[in-house]
Amino acid sequence: MRIALINGSPKVKNSSSSILLEDLKGYLGKNVEIVNVELHSPVITKEDIEELMKTDAWVFSCPLYVDGIPGHLLSCLIQLEESCVKNSKKHIYGIVNCGFYEGIQAKIALKILQNWCLKTGYIWSGGIGVGGGGGLAMISNMKPGQGPKAAIDRAIEKLALSILKNDITENQYVSIAFPRFLYKMAAQLGWRQMIKANGGKAKDLGKKLD
Amino acid sequence: MKLIITDIENFSIPVEGDHKIIKPQGNIQHCIGCFGCWAKTPGKCVLLDGYEETGRDMGKCTELIIVSRCHYGSVSPFVKMIQDRAISYTHADFVIRKGEMHHKRRYKNIITLSSHLYGENITTIEKETALELLKANAENYDGLVKDVYFYQSVEDLGDVVL
């Protein structure tokens, strides 16, 4: 079985999308062939399309952008729709992570992927909306199934089992297992550190432009 | 002020009152997820290609009107890239509204949002998704929803006055 893991983050490295795909890879085991496809820009290469067409299932992983799919990935989806072999019975899965705490906020982005499947004839087979994606990079070294990422890992494990069985599952919505108020505080502290590192002041975060 | 974001290059739909139109004029760069618009040049995207000030424009508008091809219930890549690069309309910090986490306001204006979406075969489910998307956008901008309107083609927008 050949499975394409498609990183749809605009970030070339250190993205939450890639962390989630790495976790999934661990649960998929060694009896499958993984094909990594990196979609960081609005144009997908002919070589990547050809490689994708030789796989049995695709897993998209991307961040939630303004309640939907990032613009560059949307552009790639349109290209893929134009290039795909209609009704090829390929199974499509999606993992959408959001900076907000609630994974359910990724619901519409997953629906957009599902609607794309209806246009291409591919089989939407389930996805995960991950909340608290902004914190994943800080806990990526923890053992799978432990700590604040445990609930996310369980959802990923369930998705992996579905992929291996060519199954269709309901979308799952999970959040980082970390109190919401602490997540909010940590994020806000992070913004203040970032703007200071960039030579600015904390109060500039609220700057209003004329 | 009405802010129109459209993917139609030769946009000629009449607009009543004070307005600004953001449409394709040269290549657009996509958001690279750097958060510079929040923590480096607050309020403005760091990619300088002529599309970097939508967040500021949104801070001045009372209505945000999207005119776009509908793709899978979403707007087109151009319109989406504009939206993705305008997150600095909001503040980086979080607030809880209606039990969910969203971004805090940067500006005080309340935006009323509407979408005019065109396409030959927009399905019922795509129409439902498009409405949900606009409502979610309004929730995140702490604004209001007017409605989503659908058209078979750009030509069908001919009788519309925005």
Side-chain angles (χ1 to χ4, degrees):
Chain A
M1 188 179 194
R2 299 186 89 224
I3 301 165
L5 301 186
I6 305 168
N7 181 356
S9 169
K11 290 185 187 174
V12 177
K13 54 183 182 180
N14 301 329
S15 68
S16 297
S17 304
S18 66
I19 291 169
L20 291 164
L21 284 179
E22 277 303 311
D23 287 353
L24 177 67
K25 202 185 283 183
Y27 286 112
L28 286 171
K30 292 184 175 160
N31 295 327
V32 294
E33 187 183 343
I34 300 293
V35 175
N36 294 303
V37 177
E38 305 289 324
L39 300 185
H40 306 303
S41 77
V43 180
I44 176 166
T45 64
K46 195 177 159 208
E47 290 75 25
D48 276 341
I49 292 174
E50 283 172 3
E51 201 58 47
L52 279 167
M53 294 306 158
K54 292 182 213 158
T55 59
D56 306 297
W58 298 358
V59 186
F60 287 96
S61 181
C62 72
L64 183 74
Y65 268 24
V66 195
D67 305 298
I69 299 289
H72 80 280
L73 183 59
L74 194 58
S75 173
C76 293
L77 288 177
I78 293 166
Q79 254 188 283
L80 283 167
E81 184 197 344
E82 288 161 358
S83 316
C84 72
V85 180
K86 301 282 175 191
N87 302 309
S88 78
K89 305 296 177 198
K90 215 178 277 295
H91 284 253
I92 308 294
Y93 303 85
I95 304 172
V96 179
N97 71 87
C98 56
F100 298 133
Y101 186 81
E102 304 85 12
I104 192 73
Q105 294 207 45
K107 188 179 171 186
I108 299 168
L110 289 175
K111 269 195 181 174
I112 292 167
L113 282 175
Q114 194 168 353
N115 294 347
W116 175 80
C117 287
L118 291 171
K119 283 281 198 269
T120 55
Y122 292 163
I123 305 162
W124 174 250
S125 304
I128 311 175
V130 178
L136 288 177
M138 278 157 258
I139 54 172
S140 61
N141 291 331
M142 284 189 174
K143 282 185 182 174
Q146 291 182 8
K149 208 158 58 69
I152 297 169
D153 285 335
R154 277 196 298 276
I156 291 175
E157 186 177 18
K158 194 174 166 190
L159 187 77
L161 287 172
S162 294
I163 296 168
L164 294 170
K165 289 181 192 166
N166 255 339
D167 257 355
I168 297 171
T169 54
E170 292 287 314
N171 291 343
Q172 307 174 72
Y173 299 100
V174 289
S175 297
I176 195 167
F178 193 68
R180 185 167 73 175
F181 79 97
L182 286 177
Y183 177 77
K184 182 172 173 269
M185 278 172 63
Q188 296 184 179
L189 183 66
W191 296 125
R192 279 149 186 78
Q193 287 171 342
M194 198 186 289
I195 198 162
K196 283 176 189 166
N198 286 328
K201 293 176 182 167
K203 68 179 172 81
D204 294 336
L205 285 170
K207 191 174 174 184
K208 294 176 178 64
L209 302 185
D210 294 328
Chain B
M1 190 259 284
K2 289 177 183 172
L3 181 64
I4 323 286
I5 304 176
T6 183
D7 55 9
I8 303 171
E9 279 181 48
N10 54 350
F11 184 86
S12 59
I13 299 167
V15 185
E16 283 181 347
D18 184 24
H19 64 272
K20 178 173 180 177
I21 299 166
I22 298 174
K23 62 180 184 177
Q25 286 173 311
N27 288 339
I28 183 168
Q29 296 183 61
H30 64 283
C31 172
I32 53 170
C34 71
F35 298 123
C37 61
W38 275 331
K40 193 170 185 182
T41 56
K44 186 176 172 177
C45 177
V46 298
L47 304 172
L48 305 179
D49 59 358
Y51 300 106
E52 62 271 15
E53 295 196 331
T54 312
R56 183 204 63 176
D57 293 336
M58 286 175 67
K60 292 177 182 171
C61 79
T62 51
E63 269 197 64
L64 174 63
I65 304 171
I66 289 168
V67 183
S68 171
R69 180 173 281 280
C70 182
H71 291 280
Y72 326 118
S74 173
V75 294
S76 66
F78 174 81
V79 172
K80 190 62 178 40
M81 286 181 204
I82 292 283
Q83 285 190 290
D84 292 348
R85 288 180 53 195
I87 55 168
S88 65
Y89 168 64
T90 61
H91 193 292
D93 283 353
F94 292 129
V95 289
I96 307 298
R97 282 198 299 268
K98 297 178 189 172
E100 279 190 346
M101 188 175 275
H102 298 286
H103 286 288
K104 202 167 103 176
R105 285 188 157 278
R106 178 185 302 276
Y107 299 99
K108 287 182 178 170
N109 63 320
I110 307 283
I111 304 177
T112 300
L113 290 94
S114 57
S115 288
H116 295 259
L117 304 178
Y118 62 89
E120 296 75 31
N121 297 302
I122 306 174
T123 63
T124 305
I125 196 161
E126 286 173 335
K127 288 178 181 176
E128 287 168 5
T129 305
L131 180 59
E132 281 181 62
L133 183 59
L134 192 74
K135 284 180 178 172
N137 285 174
E139 202 59 62
N140 273 314
Y141 297 149
D142 201 9
L144 303 166
V145 174
K146 193 172 179 183
D147 211 345
V148 183
Y149 309 90
F150 298 98
Y151 308 86
Q152 284 284 320
S153 66
V154 177
E155 289 71 36
D156 288 351
L157 280 149
D159 297 331
V160 173
V161 178
L162 300 174

